């Protein structure tokens, strides 16, 4: 039994004896192959090694195949591993390889194979190397044949995770210590491999470096292997180093925009314990603000004190203006054209302004919103307007909307409070024709608690919007508008080869406009549903209320629910980035809760975790309308 801090090689007396026996057998083999050539050669062993190393620098694809390597084992995965990683494979395409060099490669192949097997936890393998001369016409003059009996795989008998002072006795670090110990991946009874051992140590170190201790390192690690018993005792000690706190933010590359405003966007909590998540969130806020083409934040651990460490923000400013043209198509609204214009410092307020012109078959819209730099608490003023012509069920509606208020985005939570003025005019020759206007005070809250912002596999999101309003025309009456939504991903089952699991996606959406029955509110404040992101199997916003003339129109009450089962797809035994989904959607809209009719859609689809975000394609059957529709969607939003 031996101790080592690295997994490069594990030697026991038993394995050493096997190795010496293998060396002796191979030496006799090579002497028989080359006769007296070994003794009578003009090159020294050192010169031969140098020559072999020079030959190894030549591309492995040069020349004809001089020999091949065949590995035979009852465990095909072990055979494939050796065939792929044996060093001797680098020399298979050297037809002028000297016999003495070839024989040296044979001897080294035995040691190399034992090291590769030890890395997989097999310390008592039985190896036999032979050279097989092949008949002419086969294409390969000879083959190195490796017979492998790996033996019993070593397992972890015990593991120990410790911490050096001062962290070991620091009560504030107790939760962090327990979290690392609880998440330690190499548990008792697990197979002991080089990959798993290194991964376990690295994962513990990364967990330590994420919070309070960015300069943490591994002080000592040992793997005590009893090859005779096929048992391993592992231990690691982490040296956390000093605890760090956030200090001032140093900006580099800022010339066009207000430096204090940029710091307010980053919102690094000066004086708080260092957190990698806080740093990455600040970096994401800067990158998403639109003021920069790139943003990178790092903690200066070399030139600043741990209790007041400087955060260095390396920024590349974006130009004042940007125009983006977009052309697309959707299964909801058909072809789509958009033009987006951004001005990061529009006169006279100097606010960032985003304007858009969007045209499709159901909606034509021009909008603009201006947002100020946030203050020290993260709140930013905004104001905007929108002019829209849209299909509202079976009728057309021209609408104008004006908003103004404040917003704040911190961590997982977005908040807004604002005043909103709406006026809508419905056209169509039915009883719905006419105009209505209102003013409303709103509060909007959204919390996102997903494991990924762009492509989540677990977690949940909640959203709530509440508005208290007053109609201005055609009469003056109060009303209340509320909109609640939720989404949760529930993973279950075993992970596949790339760590993915099956999951349930459960979604809910509720909306209500509470007012007296005779109150007419703007059409843009009523609810419609159906389409790619709501009730699949039905057209975009084709589920609503019915007027006396049977015209489809927005309703005061809406309820939507969905349950979707998603599972990863394995092709030919290999995990992929594709998935399969089956779902049931249901939704209802009405002016009276007692008259709500539920529309149900069922279907199936595929999912692809693309480099730019999730993509989905669904085929859904609308039960009530007895129709089949295709739905396409890209990206994730909540």
């Amino acid at each position: 039994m031996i101790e080592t801090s690295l997994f490069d090689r594990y030697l026991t007396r038993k394995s050493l004896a096997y190795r010496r026996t293998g060396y002796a057998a191979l030496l006799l083999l090579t002497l028989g192959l080359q006769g007296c050539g070994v003794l009578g050669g003009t090159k020294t062993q050192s010169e031969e090694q140098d020559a072999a190393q020079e030959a190894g620098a030549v591309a492995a694809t040069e020349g004809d195949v001089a020999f091949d390597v065949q590995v035979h084992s009852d465990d095909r995965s072990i055979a494939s591993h050796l065939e792929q990683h044996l060093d001797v494979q680098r020399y298979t395409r050297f037809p002028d390889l000297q016999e003495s060099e070839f024989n040296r490669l044979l001897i080294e192949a035995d040691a190399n194979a034992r090291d590769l097997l030890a890395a997989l936890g097999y310390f008592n393998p039985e190896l036999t190397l032979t050279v097989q001369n092949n008949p002419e016409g086969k294409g390969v003059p000879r083959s190195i044949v490796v017979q492998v009996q790996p033996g019993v795989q070593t397992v972890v008998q015990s593991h120990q995770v410790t911490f050096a002072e001062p962290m070991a006795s620091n009560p504030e670090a107790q939760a962090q210590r327990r979290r690392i110990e609880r998440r330690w991946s190499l548990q008792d009874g697990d197979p002991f491999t080089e990959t798993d051992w290194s991964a376990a140590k690295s994962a513990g170190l990364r967990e330590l470096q994420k919070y309070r201790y960015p300069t943490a390192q591994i002080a000592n690690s040992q793997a005590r292997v009893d090859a005779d018993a096929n048992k391993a005792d592992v231990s690691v000690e982490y040296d956390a180093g000093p605890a760090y706190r956030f200090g001032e933010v140093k900006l580099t590359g800022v010339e066009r925009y207000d430096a204090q405003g940029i710091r307010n966007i980053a919102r690094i909590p000066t004086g708080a314990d260092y957190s990698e998540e806080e740093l990455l969130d600040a970096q994401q806020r800067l990158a998403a603000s639109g003021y920069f083409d790139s943003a990178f934040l790092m903690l200066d651990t070399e030139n600043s004190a741990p209790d007041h460490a400087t955060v260095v923000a390396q920024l590349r400013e974006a130009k004042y203006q940007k125009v983006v043209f977009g052309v697309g198509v959707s299964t909801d609204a058909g072809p789509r054209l958009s033009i987006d214009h951004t001005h990061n410092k529009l006169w006279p307020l100097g606010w960032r302004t985003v304007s858009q012109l969007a045209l499709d078959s159901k909606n034509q819209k021009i909008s603009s919103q201006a947002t100020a730099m946030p203050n020290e608490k993260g709140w930013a003023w905004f104001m905007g307007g929108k002019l829209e012509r849209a299909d509202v069920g079976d009728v057309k509606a021209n609408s104008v909307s004006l908003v103004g208020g404040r917003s704040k985005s911190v961590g997982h939570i977005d908040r807004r409070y604002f005043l909103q003025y709406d006026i809508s005019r419905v056209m169509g020759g039915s009883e719905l024709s006419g105009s209505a206007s209102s003013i409303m005070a709103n509060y909007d809250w959204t919390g996102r608690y997903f494991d990924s912002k762009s492509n989540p596999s677990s977690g949940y999101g909640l959203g709530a919007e509440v508005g208290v309003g007053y109609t201005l025309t055609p009469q003056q009456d109060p009303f209340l508008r509320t909109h609640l939504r939720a989404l949760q991903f529930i993973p279950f089952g075993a992970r596949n080869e790339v760590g993915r699991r099956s999951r349930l996606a459960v979604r809910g959406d509720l909306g209500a406009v509470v007012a007296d029955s005779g109150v007419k509110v703007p059409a843009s404040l009523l609810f419609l549903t159906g389409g790619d992101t709501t009730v699949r199997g039905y057209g975009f916003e084709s589920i609503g209320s019915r007027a006396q003339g049977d015209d489809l129109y927005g309703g005061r009450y809406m309820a939507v629910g969905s349950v979707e089962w998603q599972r990863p797809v394995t092709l030919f035994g290999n995990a992929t980035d594709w998935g399969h989904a089956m779902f049931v959607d249901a939704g209802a809209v009405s002016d009276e809760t007692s008259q709500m009719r539920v529309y149900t859609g069922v279907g199936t689809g595929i999912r692809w975790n693309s480099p730019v975000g999730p993509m989905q394609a669904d085929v859904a059957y609308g039960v009530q309308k007895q129709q089949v529709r295709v739905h396409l969607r890209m990206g994730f939003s909540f």
Side-chain angles (χ1 to χ4, degrees), residues 49-69:
Q49 291 176 349
D50 292 342
Q53 289 175 356
E54 292 176 0
V58 183
T61 56
E62 292 184 1
D64 299 328
V65 177
F67 63 91
D68 65 2
V69 180

Side-chain angles (χ1 to χ4, degrees), residues 259-270:
Q260 185 56 48
I262 299 304
R263 290 188 176 91
N264 293 340
I265 293 175
R267 288 195 303 279
I268 294 293
T270 302

Side-chain angles (χ1 to χ4, degrees), residues 422-610:
D422 292 279
I423 180 171
S424 295
R425 180 172 181 81
V426 177
M427 300 167 294
S430 70
E431 68 193 78
L432 301 173
S433 300
S435 64
S437 62
S438 68
I439 189 167
M440 182 168 52
N442 293 274
Y443 180 78
D444 188 0
W445 183 95
T446 302
R448 301 176 180 88
Y449 303 90
F450 302 105
D451 61 343
S452 170
K453 294 181 179 180
S454 60
N455 192 5
S457 60
S458 64
Y460 64 95
L462 299 171
E465 182 178 345
V466 178
V468 178
Y470 200 80
T471 60
L472 302 178
T473 58
Q475 70 276 341
Q476 294 80 45
D477 289 290
F479 68 93
L480 173 70
R481 187 180 190 274
T482 181
H483 188 191
L484 308 176
R485 54 200 177 94
L487 171 65
Q488 182 170 13
F489 294 107
I490 307 172
F492 63 92
R495 297 183 182 274
N496 64 8
E497 292 84 346
V498 293
R500 296 177 60 201
R501 303 169 64 188
S502 296
R503 65 180 183 178
L504 287 177
V506 182
R507 173 169 50 87
D509 205 348
L510 297 173
V513 175
V514 182
D516 290 340
S517 58
V519 176
K520 189 172 184 179
V521 299
S524 57
L525 298 181
L526 299 176
F527 298 101
L528 289 164
T529 191
D532 297 345
T533 61
T534 53
V535 184
R536 288 161 287 188
Y538 300 86
F540 177 63
E541 294 189 345
S542 63
I543 301 174
S545 180
R546 290 286 176 178
Q548 291 183 359
D550 204 32
D551 288 326
L552 180 67
Y553 191 61
R556 293 189 176 189
Y557 300 96
M558 176 190 69
V560 175
S562 173
V563 177
E564 179 172 298
W565 172 45
Q566 304 171 2
R567 65 181 186 89
V569 171
T570 300
L571 296 177
F572 307 107
N574 297 317
T576 68
D577 290 327
W578 293 86
H580 171 248
M582 299 179 67
F583 55 86
V584 177
D585 298 340
V589 177
S590 178
D591 279 335
E592 300 290 340
T593 56
S594 60
Q595 299 177 1
M596 296 186 76
R597 180 188 180 190
V598 177
Y599 289 81
T600 304
V602 297
T604 185
I606 57 174
R607 305 289 180 266
W608 178 38
N609 292 329
S610 75

Side-chain angles (χ1 to χ4, degrees), residues 239-285:
D239 182 4
Y244 278 78
R245 293 180 180 273
F246 286 120
E248 64 178 4
V249 179
K250 180 182 178 181
L251 303 179
T252 61
V254 175
E255 296 179 357
R256 294 188 177 100
Y257 309 119
D258 176 55
Q260 185 56 48
I262 299 304
R263 290 188 176 91
N264 293 340
I265 293 175
R267 288 195 303 279
I268 294 293
T270 302
D273 289 330
Y274 165 80
S275 168
E276 184 182 83
E277 183 178 5
E278 289 277 4
L279 199 66
L280 292 177
D281 284 346
Q283 179 175 293
Q284 177 62 28
R285 284 193 292 270

Side-chain angles (χ1 to χ4, degrees), residues 327-379:
V327 178
V329 62
S330 75
T331 51
D332 277 342
R336 183 176 186 272
L337 171 67
S338 65
I339 303 175
D340 294 72
H341 174 262
T342 301
H343 197 302
N344 282 332
K345 205 172 183 180
L346 186 66
W347 183 87
L349 295 177
W351 292 10
R352 184 172 189 267
T353 305
V354 179
S355 303
Q356 183 187 60
L357 172 66
L359 306 173
D360 61 42
S361 61
K362 296 180 178 293
N363 188 299
Q364 300 84 46
K365 177 180 67 175
I366 183 169
S367 63
S368 183
Q369 179 166 307
T371 306
M373 286 278 193
N375 61 19
E376 293 183 356
K377 295 184 179 180
W379 288 101

Side-chain angles (χ1 to χ4, degrees), residues 250-327:
K250 180 182 178 181
L251 303 179
T252 61
V254 175
E255 296 179 357
R256 294 188 177 100
Y257 309 119
D258 176 55
Q260 185 56 48
I262 299 304
R263 290 188 176 91
N264 293 340
I265 293 175
R267 288 195 303 279
I268 294 293
T270 302
D273 289 330
Y274 165 80
S275 168
E276 184 182 83
E277 183 178 5
E278 289 277 4
L279 199 66
L280 292 177
D281 284 346
Q283 179 175 293
Q284 177 62 28
R285 284 193 292 270
L286 289 172
S289 68
Y291 290 104
F292 304 101
D293 290 330
S294 66
F296 177 73
L297 270 63
M298 59 178 292
L299 191 72
D300 186 357
T301 59
E302 296 182 358
N303 304 311
S304 55
D307 60 346
H308 196 75
T310 301
V311 176
V312 179
Q314 299 176 351
L315 309 170
R316 189 174 73 229
E317 291 182 322
K319 295 180 178 180
Y320 282 127
Q321 298 190 63
K322 179 175 67 174
V323 178
V324 177
F325 296 90
V327 178

